[in-house]
Amino acid sequence: MVKKGLNKVSALVSGLLISIIVPAQELPLLPSDPAVETEVFPDGMTCYVAANPYVKGFADYAVVRGSDAEVVFREKNVLTVNPIQVDSMLLSLISAVADSGTPADYAVIACGDLDAPEVLKKLKYMSLMVPAGATPEKLKCESGQQSRVSFRESTDTLSGLSAIIAEWTSPRTPGHLMNTVQKAVYDKAAFELGHIACDRVRNRLKRLNIAAPEVSMNHNGSLDVPGDEVFTLKVVTDPQYAPVVTDVVRETLGGIDMHGAYASELRLAEDAYLSELSMLAEDRSNAAYVDRCISSYIYGSSLISPEGLIAFH
């Protein structure tokens, strides 16, 4: 077994990927996507505008409330050919915020085939008609303690197959570190952990001649939810093999916790992660831009592009 450089993997179960708490000024910030322009207007409203030349003639729009992470308005694939229609949509976004009485609690997002500086200028001008109002409390992203792994079995009544699910949580990345390199390293490590664990489970079940149509790891992290990082390892199999599969999953996770991983496993996992980022980089949709802006506003995450993450790693 190779132990050097495996701290990011060997802490599984008893202390899975717990965030390193260090002063934010000691960690470099991730670079923002230069295509995204952002500004906080005098009334407290935040604005994101992204020029996306890959989708000609269309734009996506959204209005997000920060105090409860609510997307109060979202419209996809809106034509941008007619400037009057674009201005009308921008005015509708501003009006939706104005009706709330608390513009400092909102972000307006526009991404697509747009002149970003011009749209930002128009939104700022429109926002001057909106009174500042009260300043609401920010969304509190609670973080708990590292949990132990819990196991459960559920049966699909249609297929008759059982799903063996191992689930645990890890404290979320602190808000002041969300746009630093720590989050990028954490997410890469989480992906590698899932890749290695799933590969080991698949190989072990293959040797035992146990069919498993699905072996997957799901990670809901600080970029997506206001709570802790949630990890779910799922194996679908015939109910008769459920006890054996549960033992295999338990032993696999415990083995990584106790002994780490082989260097070859880490190399394969890293290649898979970079391949995943490459696929994300090919997603040039306006929706992808909007999702990134929403995460930035609600959770303080970086606006870095997939290409930027590839360059960083």
Side-chain angles (χ1 to χ4, degrees):
M1 287 290 187
V2 178
K3 285 296 237 177
K4 185 177 181 180
L6 297 184
N7 289 339
K8 61 187 177 184
V9 176
S10 63
L12 177 71
V13 184
S14 62
L16 171 70
L17 296 172
I18 295 178
S19 299
I20 303 168
I21 309 301
V22 297
Q25 62 267 24
E26 294 182 11
L27 292 174
L29 299 178
L30 292 168
S32 294
D33 187 336
V36 182
E37 297 195 29
T38 181
E39 185 174 343
V40 179
F41 297 150
D43 60 6
M45 186 191 316
T46 303
C47 183
Y48 296 85
V49 181
N52 182 12
Y54 298 97
V55 183
K56 296 297 183 182
F58 293 92
D60 284 16
Y61 302 91
V63 176
V64 186
R65 186 166 55 235
S67 57
D68 58 3
E70 179 73 18
V71 179
V72 298
F73 173 86
R74 185 161 183 173
E75 191 74 23
K76 299 181 180 180
N77 299 322
V78 181
L79 287 170
T80 60
V81 178
N82 188 334
I84 295 177
Q85 289 180 321
V86 173
D87 291 349
S88 178
M89 174 59 74
L90 298 180
L91 186 58
S92 296
L93 300 179
I94 295 296
S95 296
V97 175
D99 291 341
S100 72
T102 55
D105 194 21
Y106 287 84
V108 170
I109 301 168
C111 303
D113 187 11
L114 301 165
D115 182 337
E118 183 65 21
V119 168
L120 195 64
K121 184 192 303 181
K122 288 181 178 180
L123 286 170
K124 185 174 183 178
Y125 178 77
M126 293 175 183
S127 75
L128 294 176
M129 299 181 291
V130 181
T135 302
E137 290 188 11
K138 293 293 185 181
L139 175 70
K140 294 182 179 179
C141 296
E142 302 292 342
S143 185
Q145 299 296 317
Q146 175 73 34
S147 78
R148 300 180 66 85
V149 180
S150 64
F151 291 86
R152 67 180 187 274
E153 177 186 351
S154 64
T155 302
D156 187 328
T157 55
L158 293 178
S159 67
L161 296 175
S162 288
I164 308 305
I165 298 172
E167 187 172 87
W168 64 94
T169 63
S170 180
R172 68 179 291 108
T173 301
H176 64 287
L177 299 178
M178 281 290 289
N179 65 342
T180 69
V181 297
Q182 177 177 314
K183 186 56 184 166
V185 172
Y186 184 104
D187 287 342
K188 179 173 180 286
F191 180 95
E192 292 172 344
L193 168 64
H195 189 277
I196 291 170
C198 288
D199 267 4
R200 287 194 181 187
V201 169
R202 289 191 197 96
N203 292 334
R204 178 75 183 280
L205 294 180
K206 185 177 181 179
R207 290 195 297 270
L208 294 172
N209 292 316
I210 295 177
E214 178 184 347
V215 179
S216 62
M217 173 79 93
N218 185 54
H219 170 218
N220 284 329
S222 305
L223 298 177
D224 314 300
V225 295
D228 288 328
E229 308 268 339
V230 180
F231 296 83
T232 306
L233 177 57
K234 179 181 179 182
V235 182
V236 176
T237 188
D238 190 288
Q240 65 176 315
Y241 300 124
V244 177
V245 170
T246 300
D247 287 342
V248 168
V249 173
R250 193 188 306 273
E251 291 167 6
T252 298
L253 297 179
I256 297 175
D257 180 34
M258 293 294 294
H259 305 295
Y262 290 105
S264 58
E265 291 179 304
L266 282 172
R267 285 195 295 270
L268 289 174
E270 182 174 41
D271 288 345
Y273 180 68
L274 293 176
S275 176
E276 182 86 0
L277 286 181
S278 295
M279 288 190 290
L280 290 175
E282 293 175 3
D283 182 4
R284 307 289 190 176
S285 67
N286 293 325
Y289 272 104
V290 172
D291 289 340
R292 216 180 310 152
C293 293
I294 290 175
S295 180
S296 172
Y297 179 66
I298 295 176
Y299 304 116
S301 60
S302 171
L303 287 169
I304 190 171
S305 64
E307 297 91 336
L309 279 175
I310 293 172
F312 167 73
H313 288 301

